[in-house]
Amino acid sequence: MALGLYLHIPFCKAKCAYCDFASVPGRPEWFAPYTDALCAEIAGAPARFPDIPPDQLPPRTAYIGGGTPSILPIPLLERILRALQEAFPLPADAEISMEANPGTVEPDSLRRLRILGINRLSLGVQSFRDAELRLLGRVHDAEQARQAIRWARQAGFDNLNLDLIFGLPGQSLEEWKQSLEEALAFASQHISLYALSVEEGTPLAEMINGGKLPAPDDDRTADMYLWAEERLEAAGYLHYEISNWALPGYMCRHNLGTWRNEPYLGFGSAAHSHLGRRRWWNVRDPQAYIQRLQAGLSPMEGEETLTEELDMAETMILGLRLVEEGVEVERFRRRYGRTPAEAYPEILARLSAQGLIEILPERVRLTRRGRLLGNQVFARFLPD
Ligand code: SF4
């Protein structure tokens, strides 16, 4: 069990219409002070957490997410990566991922990121159809997405993820197929597909609530997912997590750690951390984050200590997201001193009778039907 590191860059060019993530549009004047604060938080971490079990060190994965990390000028990203390597020297085979958005990358910036040690790039393409990108309020068009993929390749990124969103208001199955087929033509090593989630308070939700856009059609969204599953499998991708597919050898190691409920340290505004049973999170507002670090204060906003019951439930919920692997019985037993069947005899029996999970000697995992009804399955494990 190795520690994962997460770094949050909260800035974006503009706020997308569906976004309720911890991100702020614009604010280039905050880039440098935010970088200072982030580097200070990272540098102080080894002293703040002297009790990280030695078997969890060194960290083997780092993930720079956002927001739009690629919006930061390269010299600032270079400082952040240097601070990270000084505080937590990463082994040569560490996976260092970064999210990037088309419209915020250039051939030269991508080359420099690769040289700085980023070895996995996740591009937020979302769609290859301009009308859909406009509806989502993305800052880029389809041609910029194609260009970003080609530039990433030329820069030497041979572990590339493309993010796509499906289930858009008014989107037809044929339109979805076009986007996914185009993504497949690029033969990226990894593909993430997310069903659009309409979050209250976003401009997209307002348009739907105001009758200006139709609500996403759940049945059609399910058809899109089922079609994508078959198409990606035929193209040689391994469906390893509900929303994630990879060519053999290219599963995202950092996210695998998250789904196995392994420990991680998060840095930056809104970043969460989880060590042992303790979980904590930083202030969400980047300005408050900067001010706290400038004043020499901790950026932590809250913390909780998980009961074994809740920790175990989270291990089930996260692990069931892993399509093939599921929750490994032996790993679960080593962690909690009992097997999933001993911890949840009635729940597992009921879910199995309903055809939602499969109970094998070495693992418990969702069935195909269970994957479509994942949230209903997960809710059963939560303590009252
Ligand atoms: S790029 Fe991502 S984080 Fe930024 S506004 Fe759009 S959806 Fe939100």
Side-chain angles (χ1 to χ4, degrees):
M1 209 194 279
L3 182 74
L5 302 173
Y6 175 78
L7 282 69
H8 190 68
I9 309 296
F11 307 109
C12 290
K13 258 189 168 176
K15 194 83 174 165
C16 300
Y18 59 99
C19 178
D20 80 334
F21 302 135
S23 70
V24 291
R27 294 293 184 178
E29 71 278 15
W30 288 356
F31 291 179
Y34 185 85
T35 300
D36 292 342
L38 187 58
C39 291
E41 189 192 8
I42 294 168
R48 267 177 76 204
F49 309 111
D51 49 356
I52 298 173
D55 64 329
Q56 293 177 10
L57 292 171
R60 302 205 154 267
T61 65
Y63 192 102
I64 309 176
T68 303
S70 52
I71 205 170
L72 281 191
I74 296 292
L76 298 185
L77 285 165
E78 186 172 3
R79 283 189 50 210
I80 293 167
L81 284 162
R82 204 179 319 123
L84 194 68
Q85 287 285 6
E86 279 166 15
F88 297 98
L90 295 164
D93 65 347
E95 175 192 272
I96 308 180
S97 301
M98 191 177 114
E99 293 176 353
N101 280 322
T104 64
V105 289
E106 298 286 338
D108 185 55
S109 64
L110 287 166
R111 260 195 308 274
R112 291 170 71 186
L113 286 172
R114 186 70 195 85
I115 290 167
L116 286 176
I118 306 290
N119 53 24
R120 182 176 183 277
L121 194 74
S122 179
L123 277 175
V125 169
Q126 315 312 355
S127 168
F128 284 102
R129 298 176 57 82
D130 285 337
E132 292 175 0
L133 291 167
R134 279 195 296 274
L135 183 146
L136 292 169
R138 300 289 297 181
V139 296
H140 60 90
D141 61 20
E143 190 46 37
Q144 284 173 298
R146 295 181 192 111
Q147 209 172 35
I149 297 168
R150 287 192 288 262
W151 287 342
R153 280 277 158 67
Q154 287 159 12
F157 283 102
D158 53 10
N159 189 354
L160 186 66
N161 170 58
L162 305 182
D163 274 353
L164 293 181
I165 298 183
F166 63 101
L168 275 51
Q171 186 185 34
S172 70
L173 184 57
E174 277 313 308
E175 287 163 344
W176 165 237
K177 287 182 179 179
Q178 279 176 27
S179 264
L180 186 54
E181 288 294 353
E182 185 156 356
L184 282 171
F186 282 106
S188 61
Q189 288 73 18
H190 194 284
I191 295 187
S192 300
L193 306 180
Y194 299 105
L196 178 70
S197 169
V198 180
E199 303 295 337
E200 280 311 316
T202 60
L204 185 74
E206 276 168 31
M207 284 189 275
I208 291 172
N209 294 340
K212 293 194 184 118
L213 278 178
D217 179 324
D218 289 347
D219 289 340
R220 199 184 302 154
T221 301
D223 288 344
M224 290 177 184
Y225 182 79
L226 292 172
W227 179 80
E229 270 194 316
E230 282 178 16
R231 182 67 188 90
L232 284 159
E233 189 185 341
Y237 286 84
L238 176 69
H239 189 188
Y240 74 103
E241 194 269 347
I242 289 182
S243 304
N244 288 280
W245 286 258
L247 293 177
Y250 288 97
M251 291 190 280
C252 176
R253 284 158 49 198
H254 181 83
N255 288 339
L256 266 181
T258 305
W259 294 313
R260 289 176 182 153
N261 205 8
E262 291 180 350
Y264 54 88
L265 280 182
F267 302 98
S269 58
H272 283 59
S273 301
H274 187 179
L275 274 185
R277 290 275 159 77
R278 186 168 164 247
R279 186 156 61 187
W280 66 96
W281 50 95
N282 285 350
V283 285
R284 189 176 165 102
D285 174 25
Q287 196 177 24
Y289 173 81
I290 293 168
Q291 286 166 350
R292 287 211 190 184
L293 269 298
Q294 281 174 343
L297 300 172
S298 160
M300 188 171 83
E301 183 172 62
E303 66 176 318
E304 62 186 345
T305 301
L306 302 182
T307 60
E308 178 167 270
E309 203 186 6
L310 188 54
D311 193 55
M312 213 160 55
E314 292 192 354
T315 297
M316 290 302 297
I317 291 168
L318 289 165
L320 285 173
R321 297 191 63 89
L322 292 169
V323 174
E324 295 287 330
E325 179 177 308
V327 178
E328 287 189 348
V329 170
E330 186 49 28
R331 187 180 287 151
F332 190 95
R333 196 192 57 73
R334 277 200 307 272
R335 189 158 170 173
Y336 301 108
R338 51 198 150 149
T339 65
E342 286 162 351
Y344 300 104
E346 284 153 26
I347 294 173
L348 292 188
R350 214 171 311 132
L351 289 170
S352 169
Q354 291 170 328
L356 297 172
I357 61 163
E358 189 179 15
I359 304 175
L360 302 169
E362 71 285 2
R363 66 191 75 251
V364 179
R365 62 188 179 195
L366 293 177
T367 59
R368 195 165 193 230
R369 182 158 171 262
R371 291 204 286 282
L372 284 173
L373 300 172
N375 287 339
Q376 288 180 33
V377 175
F378 304 150
R380 310 265 184 98
F381 292 95
L382 287 174
D384 296 330

